[in-house]
Structure formats: structure tokens, C-alpha cells
PDB file of all heavy atoms in Angstrom:
ATOM      1  N   VAL A   1      -1.473  -1.424  -2.059  1.00 46.00           N
ATOM      2  CA  VAL A   1      -2.929  -1.549  -2.174  1.00 46.00           C
ATOM      3  C   VAL A   1      -3.426  -0.723  -3.341  1.00 46.00           C
ATOM      4  O   VAL A   1      -3.243   0.481  -3.389  1.00 46.00           O
ATOM      5  CB  VAL A   1      -3.640  -1.088  -0.879  1.00 46.00           C
ATOM      6  CG1 VAL A   1      -5.143  -1.177  -1.062  1.00 46.00           C
ATOM      7  CG2 VAL A   1      -3.199  -1.923   0.308  1.00 46.00           C
ATOM      8  N   THR A   2      -4.029  -1.366  -4.296  1.00 45.00           N
ATOM      9  CA  THR A   2      -4.540  -0.646  -5.447  1.00 45.00           C
ATOM     10  C   THR A   2      -5.937  -0.150  -5.140  1.00 45.00           C
ATOM     11  O   THR A   2      -6.643  -0.695  -4.260  1.00 45.00           O
ATOM     12  CB  THR A   2      -4.602  -1.555  -6.708  1.00 45.00           C
ATOM     13  OG1 THR A   2      -5.381  -2.713  -6.390  1.00 45.00           O
ATOM     14  CG2 THR A   2      -3.217  -1.993  -7.111  1.00 45.00           C
ATOM     15  N   VAL A   3      -6.352   0.889  -5.820  1.00 44.00           N
ATOM     16  CA  VAL A   3      -7.703   1.380  -5.649  1.00 44.00           C
ATOM     17  C   VAL A   3      -8.656   0.269  -6.085  1.00 44.00           C
ATOM     18  O   VAL A   3      -8.423  -0.420  -7.070  1.00 44.00           O
ATOM     19  CB  VAL A   3      -7.945   2.633  -6.501  1.00 44.00           C
ATOM     20  CG1 VAL A   3      -9.398   3.086  -6.380  1.00 44.00           C
ATOM     21  CG2 VAL A   3      -6.995   3.733  -6.099  1.00 44.00           C
ATOM     22  N   GLU A   4      -9.698   0.058  -5.334  1.00 49.00           N
ATOM     23  CA  GLU A   4     -10.656  -1.012  -5.603  1.00 49.00           C
ATOM     24  C   GLU A   4     -11.063  -1.036  -7.065  1.00 49.00           C
ATOM     25  O   GLU A   4     -11.582  -0.102  -7.608  1.00 49.00           O
ATOM     26  CB  GLU A   4     -11.899  -0.792  -4.742  1.00 49.00           C
ATOM     27  CG  GLU A   4     -12.917  -1.901  -4.901  1.00 49.00           C
ATOM     28  CD  GLU A   4     -14.171  -1.648  -4.087  1.00 49.00           C
ATOM     29  OE1 GLU A   4     -14.105  -0.714  -3.254  1.00 49.00           O
ATOM     30  OE2 GLU A   4     -15.168  -2.331  -4.279  1.00 49.00           O
ATOM     31  N   ALA A   5     -10.715  -2.157  -7.693  1.00 49.00           N
ATOM     32  CA  ALA A   5     -10.934  -2.281  -9.135  1.00 49.00           C
ATOM     33  C   ALA A   5     -12.410  -2.537  -9.456  1.00 49.00           C
ATOM     34  O   ALA A   5     -13.081  -3.309  -8.759  1.00 49.00           O
ATOM     35  CB  ALA A   5     -10.089  -3.399  -9.722  1.00 49.00           C
ATOM     36  N   SER A   6     -12.917  -1.900 -10.446  1.00 53.00           N
ATOM     37  CA  SER A   6     -14.285  -2.133 -10.898  1.00 53.00           C
ATOM     38  C   SER A   6     -14.451  -1.349 -12.167  1.00 53.00           C
ATOM     39  O   SER A   6     -13.491  -0.905 -12.790  1.00 53.00           O
ATOM     40  CB  SER A   6     -15.299  -1.691  -9.821  1.00 53.00           C
ATOM     41  OG  SER A   6     -15.284  -0.304  -9.647  1.00 53.00           O
ATOM     42  N   SER A   7     -15.688  -1.105 -12.550  1.00 62.00           N
ATOM     43  CA  SER A   7     -15.935  -0.324 -13.730  1.00 62.00           C
ATOM     44  C   SER A   7     -15.601   1.145 -13.470  1.00 62.00           C
ATOM     45  O   SER A   7     -15.313   1.542 -12.322  1.00 62.00           O
ATOM     46  CB  SER A   7     -17.418  -0.430 -14.118  1.00 62.00           C
ATOM     47  OG  SER A   7     -18.245   0.023 -13.057  1.00 62.00           O
ATOM     48  N   ASP A   8     -15.571   1.929 -14.532  1.00 82.00           N
ATOM     49  CA  ASP A   8     -15.239   3.355 -14.398  1.00 82.00           C
ATOM     50  C   ASP A   8     -16.225   4.046 -13.451  1.00 82.00           C
ATOM     51  O   ASP A   8     -17.382   3.614 -13.321  1.00 82.00           O
ATOM     52  CB  ASP A   8     -15.269   4.051 -15.744  1.00 82.00           C
ATOM     53  CG  ASP A   8     -14.163   3.568 -16.685  1.00 82.00           C
ATOM     54  OD1 ASP A   8     -13.258   2.866 -16.191  1.00 82.00           O
ATOM     55  OD2 ASP A   8     -14.237   3.905 -17.890  1.00 82.00           O
ATOM     56  N   ILE A   9     -15.793   5.120 -12.842  1.00 90.00           N
ATOM     57  CA  ILE A   9     -16.672   5.973 -12.048  1.00 90.00           C
ATOM     58  C   ILE A   9     -17.013   7.186 -12.890  1.00 90.00           C
ATOM     59  O   ILE A   9     -16.121   7.847 -13.443  1.00 90.00           O
ATOM     60  CB  ILE A   9     -15.962   6.445 -10.741  1.00 90.00           C
ATOM     61  CG1 ILE A   9     -15.491   5.241  -9.885  1.00 90.00           C
ATOM     62  CG2 ILE A   9     -16.894   7.354  -9.946  1.00 90.00           C
ATOM     63  CD1 ILE A   9     -14.654   5.667  -8.714  1.00 90.00           C
ATOM     64  N   GLN A  10     -18.259   7.491 -13.006  1.00 92.00           N
ATOM     65  CA  GLN A  10     -18.663   8.657 -13.807  1.00 92.00           C
ATOM     66  C   GLN A  10     -19.750   9.440 -13.096  1.00 92.00           C
ATOM     67  O   GLN A  10     -20.733   8.866 -12.639  1.00 92.00           O
ATOM     68  CB  GLN A  10     -19.159   8.258 -15.193  1.00 92.00           C
ATOM     69  CG  GLN A  10     -19.543   9.448 -16.085  1.00 92.00           C
ATOM     70  CD  GLN A  10     -19.712   9.105 -17.524  1.00 92.00           C
ATOM     71  OE1 GLN A  10     -19.568   7.955 -17.947  1.00 92.00           O
ATOM     72  NE2 GLN A  10     -20.050  10.112 -18.328  1.00 92.00           N
ATOM     73  N   HIS A  11     -19.516  10.736 -13.016  1.00 92.00           N
ATOM     74  CA  HIS A  11     -20.500  11.679 -12.496  1.00 92.00           C
ATOM     75  C   HIS A  11     -20.536  12.852 -13.470  1.00 92.00           C
ATOM     76  O   HIS A  11     -19.581  13.649 -13.544  1.00 92.00           O
ATOM     77  CB  HIS A  11     -20.150  12.166 -11.094  1.00 92.00           C
ATOM     78  CG  HIS A  11     -20.159  11.082 -10.057  1.00 92.00           C
ATOM     79  ND1 HIS A  11     -21.334  10.542  -9.574  1.00 92.00           N
ATOM     80  CD2 HIS A  11     -19.164  10.430  -9.399  1.00 92.00           C
ATOM     81  CE1 HIS A  11     -21.057   9.595  -8.672  1.00 92.00           C
ATOM     82  NE2 HIS A  11     -19.765   9.518  -8.558  1.00 92.00           N
ATOM     83  N   GLY A  12     -21.592  12.954 -14.242  1.00 91.00           N
ATOM     84  CA  GLY A  12     -21.688  14.004 -15.238  1.00 91.00           C
ATOM     85  C   GLY A  12     -20.492  13.970 -16.198  1.00 91.00           C
ATOM     86  O   GLY A  12     -20.220  12.946 -16.846  1.00 91.00           O
ATOM     87  N   GLU A  13     -19.755  15.071 -16.249  1.00 93.00           N
ATOM     88  CA  GLU A  13     -18.615  15.183 -17.172  1.00 93.00           C
ATOM     89  C   GLU A  13     -17.290  14.683 -16.569  1.00 93.00           C
ATOM     90  O   GLU A  13     -16.262  14.777 -17.217  1.00 93.00           O
ATOM     91  CB  GLU A  13     -18.475  16.629 -17.612  1.00 93.00           C
ATOM     92  CG  GLU A  13     -19.674  17.158 -18.425  1.00 93.00           C
ATOM     93  CD  GLU A  13     -19.498  18.582 -18.858  1.00 93.00           C
ATOM     94  OE1 GLU A  13     -19.541  19.448 -18.009  1.00 93.00           O
ATOM     95  OE2 GLU A  13     -19.287  18.797 -20.075  1.00 93.00           O
ATOM     96  N   LEU A  14     -17.370  14.177 -15.370  1.00 95.00           N
ATOM     97  CA  LEU A  14     -16.168  13.618 -14.715  1.00 95.00           C
ATOM     98  C   LEU A  14     -16.163  12.103 -14.938  1.00 95.00           C
ATOM     99  O   LEU A  14     -17.115  11.398 -14.570  1.00 95.00           O
ATOM    100  CB  LEU A  14     -16.193  13.893 -13.231  1.00 95.00           C
ATOM    101  CG  LEU A  14     -15.041  13.238 -12.408  1.00 95.00           C
ATOM    102  CD1 LEU A  14     -13.737  13.922 -12.733  1.00 95.00           C
ATOM    103  CD2 LEU A  14     -15.328  13.322 -10.908  1.00 95.00           C
ATOM    104  N   VAL A  15     -15.072  11.593 -15.530  1.00 93.00           N
ATOM    105  CA  VAL A  15     -14.924  10.165 -15.751  1.00 93.00           C
ATOM    106  C   VAL A  15     -13.586   9.700 -15.158  1.00 93.00           C
ATOM    107  O   VAL A  15     -12.524  10.282 -15.466  1.00 93.00           O
ATOM    108  CB  VAL A  15     -14.927   9.822 -17.257  1.00 93.00           C
ATOM    109  CG1 VAL A  15     -14.764   8.300 -17.451  1.00 93.00           C
ATOM    110  CG2 VAL A  15     -16.249  10.296 -17.904  1.00 93.00           C
ATOM    111  N   ILE A  16     -13.647   8.709 -14.286  1.00 92.00           N
ATOM    112  CA  ILE A  16     -12.459   8.165 -13.640  1.00 92.00           C
ATOM    113  C   ILE A  16     -12.270   6.721 -14.105  1.00 92.00           C
ATOM    114  O   ILE A  16     -13.104   5.881 -13.829  1.00 92.00           O
ATOM    115  CB  ILE A  16     -12.551   8.213 -12.106  1.00 92.00           C
ATOM    116  CG1 ILE A  16     -12.843   9.632 -11.620  1.00 92.00           C
ATOM    117  CG2 ILE A  16     -11.246   7.695 -11.462  1.00 92.00           C
ATOM    118  CD1 ILE A  16     -13.126   9.740 -10.130  1.00 92.00           C
ATOM    119  N   ASN A  17     -11.165   6.471 -14.823  1.00 89.00           N
ATOM    120  CA  ASN A  17     -10.821   5.125 -15.274  1.00 89.00           C
ATOM    121  C   ASN A  17      -9.880   4.532 -14.232  1.00 89.00           C
ATOM    122  O   ASN A  17      -8.708   4.935 -14.162  1.00 89.00           O
ATOM    123  CB  ASN A  17     -10.209   5.172 -16.653  1.00 89.00           C
ATOM    124  CG  ASN A  17      -9.960   3.776 -17.210  1.00 89.00           C
ATOM    125  OD1 ASN A  17      -9.346   2.935 -16.575  1.00 89.00           O
ATOM    126  ND2 ASN A  17     -10.466   3.529 -18.425  1.00 89.00           N
ATOM    127  N   ILE A  18     -10.351   3.591 -13.415  1.00 83.00           N
ATOM    128  CA  ILE A  18      -9.576   3.031 -12.337  1.00 83.00           C
ATOM    129  C   ILE A  18      -8.347   2.297 -12.817  1.00 83.00           C
ATOM    130  O   ILE A  18      -7.235   2.542 -12.388  1.00 83.00           O
ATOM    131  CB  ILE A  18     -10.436   2.097 -11.465  1.00 83.00           C
ATOM    132  CG1 ILE A  18     -11.671   2.823 -10.948  1.00 83.00           C
ATOM    133  CG2 ILE A  18      -9.614   1.525 -10.314  1.00 83.00           C
ATOM    134  CD1 ILE A  18     -11.395   3.961 -10.020  1.00 83.00           C
ATOM    135  N   GLU A  19      -8.527   1.348 -13.755  1.00 79.00           N
ATOM    136  CA  GLU A  19      -7.460   0.511 -14.217  1.00 79.00           C
ATOM    137  C   GLU A  19      -6.354   1.328 -14.901  1.00 79.00           C
ATOM    138  O   GLU A  19      -5.175   1.027 -14.772  1.00 79.00           O
ATOM    139  CB  GLU A  19      -7.989  -0.555 -15.152  1.00 79.00           C
ATOM    140  CG  GLU A  19      -8.870  -1.594 -14.458  1.00 79.00           C
ATOM    141  CD  GLU A  19      -9.243  -2.743 -15.361  1.00 79.00           C
ATOM    142  OE1 GLU A  19      -8.806  -2.744 -16.516  1.00 79.00           O
ATOM    143  OE2 GLU A  19      -9.987  -3.631 -14.905  1.00 79.00           O
ATOM    144  N   ALA A  20      -6.751   2.335 -15.659  1.00 80.00           N
ATOM    145  CA  ALA A  20      -5.776   3.160 -16.377  1.00 80.00           C
ATOM    146  C   ALA A  20      -5.236   4.316 -15.526  1.00 80.00           C
ATOM    147  O   ALA A  20      -4.349   5.040 -15.991  1.00 80.00           O
ATOM    148  CB  ALA A  20      -6.393   3.731 -17.684  1.00 80.00           C
ATOM    149  N   ASN A  21      -5.767   4.467 -14.325  1.00 81.00           N
ATOM    150  CA  ASN A  21      -5.341   5.567 -13.461  1.00 81.00           C
ATOM    151  C   ASN A  21      -5.493   6.909 -14.179  1.00 81.00           C
ATOM    152  O   ASN A  21      -4.606   7.742 -14.160  1.00 81.00           O
ATOM    153  CB  ASN A  21      -3.885   5.336 -13.028  1.00 81.00           C
ATOM    154  CG  ASN A  21      -3.562   6.016 -11.708  1.00 81.00           C
ATOM    155  OD1 ASN A  21      -4.290   5.788 -10.760  1.00 81.00           O
ATOM    156  ND2 ASN A  21      -2.484   6.740 -11.662  1.00 81.00           N
ATOM    157  N   ARG A  22      -6.658   7.071 -14.816  1.00 88.00           N
ATOM    158  CA  ARG A  22      -6.864   8.221 -15.708  1.00 88.00           C
ATOM    159  C   ARG A  22      -8.144   8.975 -15.352  1.00 88.00           C
ATOM    160  O   ARG A  22      -9.164   8.367 -15.056  1.00 88.00           O
ATOM    161  CB  ARG A  22      -6.916   7.728 -17.149  1.00 88.00           C
ATOM    162  CG  ARG A  22      -7.043   8.768 -18.220  1.00 88.00           C
ATOM    163  CD  ARG A  22      -6.818   8.137 -19.589  1.00 88.00           C
ATOM    164  NE  ARG A  22      -6.926   9.116 -20.657  1.00 88.00           N
ATOM    165  CZ  ARG A  22      -8.015   9.234 -21.431  1.00 88.00           C
ATOM    166  NH1 ARG A  22      -9.094   8.465 -21.220  1.00 88.00           N
ATOM    167  NH2 ARG A  22      -8.032  10.156 -22.391  1.00 88.00           N
ATOM    168  N   VAL A  23      -8.055  10.307 -15.374  1.00 94.00           N
ATOM    169  CA  VAL A  23      -9.216  11.157 -15.048  1.00 94.00           C
ATOM    170  C   VAL A  23      -9.457  12.111 -16.183  1.00 94.00           C
ATOM    171  O   VAL A  23      -8.504  12.772 -16.687  1.00 94.00           O
ATOM    172  CB  VAL A  23      -9.005  11.960 -13.756  1.00 94.00           C
ATOM    173  CG1 VAL A  23     -10.172  12.883 -13.509  1.00 94.00           C
ATOM    174  CG2 VAL A  23      -8.772  11.048 -12.557  1.00 94.00           C
ATOM    175  N   THR A  24     -10.696  12.201 -16.647  1.00 94.00           N
ATOM    176  CA  THR A  24     -11.037  13.232 -17.640  1.00 94.00           C
ATOM    177  C   THR A  24     -12.223  14.019 -17.126  1.00 94.00           C
ATOM    178  O   THR A  24     -13.110  13.498 -16.433  1.00 94.00           O
ATOM    179  CB  THR A  24     -11.394  12.591 -19.018  1.00 94.00           C
ATOM    180  OG1 THR A  24     -12.510  11.694 -18.839  1.00 94.00           O
ATOM    181  CG2 THR A  24     -10.226  11.876 -19.615  1.00 94.00           C
ATOM    182  N   TYR A  25     -12.198  15.299 -17.461  1.00 95.00           N
ATOM    183  CA  TYR A  25     -13.308  16.206 -17.071  1.00 95.00           C
ATOM    184  C   TYR A  25     -13.586  17.157 -18.212  1.00 95.00           C
ATOM    185  O   TYR A  25     -12.680  17.788 -18.741  1.00 95.00           O
ATOM    186  CB  TYR A  25     -12.951  16.973 -15.797  1.00 95.00           C
ATOM    187  CG  TYR A  25     -14.041  17.939 -15.354  1.00 95.00           C
ATOM    188  CD1 TYR A  25     -15.342  17.518 -15.170  1.00 95.00           C
ATOM    189  CD2 TYR A  25     -13.766  19.296 -15.154  1.00 95.00           C
ATOM    190  CE1 TYR A  25     -16.352  18.393 -14.785  1.00 95.00           C
ATOM    191  CE2 TYR A  25     -14.750  20.178 -14.761  1.00 95.00           C
ATOM    192  CZ  TYR A  25     -16.061  19.711 -14.563  1.00 95.00           C
ATOM    193  OH  TYR A  25     -17.044  20.582 -14.201  1.00 95.00           O
ATOM    194  N   GLN A  26     -14.829  17.210 -18.631  1.00 92.00           N
ATOM    195  CA  GLN A  26     -15.256  18.017 -19.770  1.00 92.00           C
ATOM    196  C   GLN A  26     -14.398  17.682 -21.011  1.00 92.00           C
ATOM    197  O   GLN A  26     -14.045  18.534 -21.806  1.00 92.00           O
ATOM    198  CB  GLN A  26     -15.131  19.497 -19.447  1.00 92.00           C
ATOM    199  CG  GLN A  26     -16.085  19.928 -18.329  1.00 92.00           C
ATOM    200  CD  GLN A  26     -15.975  21.402 -17.989  1.00 92.00           C
ATOM    201  OE1 GLN A  26     -14.935  22.010 -18.159  1.00 92.00           O
ATOM    202  NE2 GLN A  26     -17.064  21.964 -17.465  1.00 92.00           N
ATOM    203  N   GLY A  27     -14.090  16.387 -21.140  1.00 91.00           N
ATOM    204  CA  GLY A  27     -13.382  15.920 -22.330  1.00 91.00           C
ATOM    205  C   GLY A  27     -11.871  16.090 -22.272  1.00 91.00           C
ATOM    206  O   GLY A  27     -11.168  15.638 -23.167  1.00 91.00           O
ATOM    207  N   LYS A  28     -11.353  16.705 -21.184  1.00 93.00           N
ATOM    208  CA  LYS A  28      -9.929  16.928 -21.093  1.00 93.00           C
ATOM    209  C   LYS A  28      -9.307  16.034 -20.003  1.00 93.00           C
ATOM    210  O   LYS A  28      -9.922  15.844 -18.955  1.00 93.00           O
ATOM    211  CB  LYS A  28      -9.646  18.413 -20.758  1.00 93.00           C
ATOM    212  CG  LYS A  28     -10.099  19.381 -21.818  1.00 93.00           C
ATOM    213  CD  LYS A  28      -9.816  20.797 -21.416  1.00 93.00           C
ATOM    214  CE  LYS A  28     -10.297  21.802 -22.503  1.00 93.00           C
ATOM    215  NZ  LYS A  28     -10.027  23.195 -22.096  1.00 93.00           N
ATOM    216  N   GLU A  29      -8.126  15.539 -20.265  1.00 93.00           N
ATOM    217  CA  GLU A  29      -7.468  14.670 -19.314  1.00 93.00           C
ATOM    218  C   GLU A  29      -6.846  15.515 -18.175  1.00 93.00           C
ATOM    219  O   GLU A  29      -6.240  16.552 -18.413  1.00 93.00           O
ATOM    220  CB  GLU A  29      -6.361  13.827 -19.971  1.00 93.00           C
ATOM    221  CG  GLU A  29      -5.736  12.825 -19.042  1.00 93.00           C
ATOM    222  CD  GLU A  29      -4.964  11.720 -19.753  1.00 93.00           C
ATOM    223  OE1 GLU A  29      -5.030  11.708 -21.008  1.00 93.00           O
ATOM    224  OE2 GLU A  29      -4.339  10.910 -19.087  1.00 93.00           O
ATOM    225  N   ILE A  30      -7.058  15.059 -16.945  1.00 93.00           N
ATOM    226  CA  ILE A  30      -6.576  15.785 -15.764  1.00 93.00           C
ATOM    227  C   ILE A  30      -5.458  14.965 -15.133  1.00 93.00           C
ATOM    228  O   ILE A  30      -5.659  13.791 -14.784  1.00 93.00           O
ATOM    229  CB  ILE A  30      -7.708  15.983 -14.746  1.00 93.00           C
ATOM    230  CG1 ILE A  30      -8.908  16.674 -15.384  1.00 93.00           C
ATOM    231  CG2 ILE A  30      -7.196  16.809 -13.560  1.00 93.00           C
ATOM    232  CD1 ILE A  30      -8.680  18.046 -15.903  1.00 93.00           C
ATOM    233  N   GLU A  31      -4.273  15.575 -14.952  1.00 88.00           N
ATOM    234  CA  GLU A  31      -3.186  14.871 -14.318  1.00 88.00           C
ATOM    235  C   GLU A  31      -3.246  15.043 -12.821  1.00 88.00           C
ATOM    236  O   GLU A  31      -3.340  16.177 -12.328  1.00 88.00           O
ATOM    237  CB  GLU A  31      -1.839  15.407 -14.882  1.00 88.00           C
ATOM    238  CG  GLU A  31      -1.599  15.097 -16.328  1.00 88.00           C
ATOM    239  CD  GLU A  31      -0.196  15.489 -16.762  1.00 88.00           C
ATOM    240  OE1 GLU A  31       0.638  15.873 -15.888  1.00 88.00           O
ATOM    241  OE2 GLU A  31       0.097  15.396 -17.984  1.00 88.00           O
ATOM    242  N   LEU A  32      -3.184  13.937 -12.098  1.00 86.00           N
ATOM    243  CA  LEU A  32      -3.258  13.969 -10.634  1.00 86.00           C
ATOM    244  C   LEU A  32      -2.151  13.093 -10.074  1.00 86.00           C
ATOM    245  O   LEU A  32      -1.773  12.093 -10.649  1.00 86.00           O
ATOM    246  CB  LEU A  32      -4.621  13.427 -10.149  1.00 86.00           C
ATOM    247  CG  LEU A  32      -5.872  14.183 -10.504  1.00 86.00           C
ATOM    248  CD1 LEU A  32      -7.083  13.452  -9.974  1.00 86.00           C
ATOM    249  CD2 LEU A  32      -5.840  15.599  -9.919  1.00 86.00           C
ATOM    250  N   SER A  33      -1.632  13.485  -8.918  1.00 81.00           N
ATOM    251  CA  SER A  33      -0.683  12.648  -8.200  1.00 81.00           C
ATOM    252  C   SER A  33      -1.395  11.378  -7.710  1.00 81.00           C
ATOM    253  O   SER A  33      -2.618  11.303  -7.711  1.00 81.00           O
ATOM    254  CB  SER A  33      -0.097  13.390  -7.021  1.00 81.00           C
ATOM    255  OG  SER A  33      -1.080  13.588  -6.022  1.00 81.00           O
ATOM    256  N   THR A  34      -0.618  10.401  -7.316  1.00 79.00           N
ATOM    257  CA  THR A  34      -1.188   9.148  -6.838  1.00 79.00           C
ATOM    258  C   THR A  34      -2.126   9.381  -5.660  1.00 79.00           C
ATOM    259  O   THR A  34      -3.205   8.817  -5.576  1.00 79.00           O
ATOM    260  CB  THR A  34      -0.048   8.163  -6.423  1.00 79.00           C
ATOM    261  OG1 THR A  34       0.817   7.943  -7.530  1.00 79.00           O
ATOM    262  CG2 THR A  34      -0.620   6.825  -5.958  1.00 79.00           C
ATOM    263  N   SER A  35      -1.701  10.219  -4.723  1.00 81.00           N
ATOM    264  CA  SER A  35      -2.490  10.499  -3.546  1.00 81.00           C
ATOM    265  C   SER A  35      -3.805  11.211  -3.882  1.00 81.00           C
ATOM    266  O   SER A  35      -4.880  10.890  -3.370  1.00 81.00           O
ATOM    267  CB  SER A  35      -1.701  11.319  -2.541  1.00 81.00           C
ATOM    268  OG  SER A  35      -0.571  10.615  -2.082  1.00 81.00           O
ATOM    269  N   LEU A  36      -3.732  12.227  -4.763  1.00 88.00           N
ATOM    270  CA  LEU A  36      -4.923  12.936  -5.164  1.00 88.00           C
ATOM    271  C   LEU A  36      -5.889  12.035  -5.928  1.00 88.00           C
ATOM    272  O   LEU A  36      -7.101  12.137  -5.749  1.00 88.00           O
ATOM    273  CB  LEU A  36      -4.551  14.165  -6.026  1.00 88.00           C
ATOM    274  CG  LEU A  36      -3.968  15.361  -5.238  1.00 88.00           C
ATOM    275  CD1 LEU A  36      -3.453  16.393  -6.253  1.00 88.00           C
ATOM    276  CD2 LEU A  36      -5.008  15.983  -4.314  1.00 88.00           C
TER     277      LEU A  36
END
């Protein structure tokens, strides 16, 4: 089951790119496990 696909999630300086499985905060990429 993939995370529900849609546009990016953004709250302030936190940006979550669903399709790319990518998280950035304050302009820096944050590495997270699949579960996190």
C-alpha cells in the first residue's frame, strides 16, 4: 500500500514530496525510514 498519492504536503518550511518519498525542512533534505 503506497501512501495516498496527491500533491505535495507543505506546512511552513516542511515539504513532503509523496511521489519521490522525499522530505525537506528548512531547505535541507531529511532522510527517514519507510515507517517514519
Side-chain angles (χ1 to χ4, degrees):
V1 177
T2 56
V3 177
E4 183 182 348
S6 67
S7 59
D8 293 350
I9 301 172
Q10 181 167 0
H11 294 287
E13 296 180 289
L14 175 71
V15 180
I16 305 173
N17 186 307
I18 304 297
E19 293 186 1
N21 207 50
R22 185 169 179 260
V23 177
T24 58
Y25 178 54
Q26 296 180 333
K28 297 180 180 179
E29 187 163 353
I30 307 296
E31 293 187 8
L32 296 176
S33 68
T34 303
S35 296
L36 284 172

